[in-house]
Amino acid sequence: MRIRRILAAVIATAALAGLGLTGATTATAQGAPSVVTPSECKQGGGTPAINDAGNYCKGGTYDGQQVD
């Protein structure tokens, strides 16, 4: 009896861990785009910043995203 309870607990834990990983990858896949337009950056509350390292959106929803 004790082995069955332990086995059930292990299986339940593994199932819940699998669901957590699946949910995390789904949320990442539906995240903000990696490249935004200057107007999208402004609409998101940011400012397109041009510097030596590249063009990036500074602040707002798309903070740190590359501006194309």
Side-chain angles (χ1 to χ4, degrees), residues 8-47:
V10 169
I11 291 171
T13 303
L16 290 175
L19 289 175
L21 293 175
T22 303
T25 55
T26 303
T28 304
Q30 295 175 355
S34 59
V35 179
V36 296
T37 64
S39 62
E40 287 174 331
C41 178
K42 290 178 186 176
Q43 287 175 356
T47 304

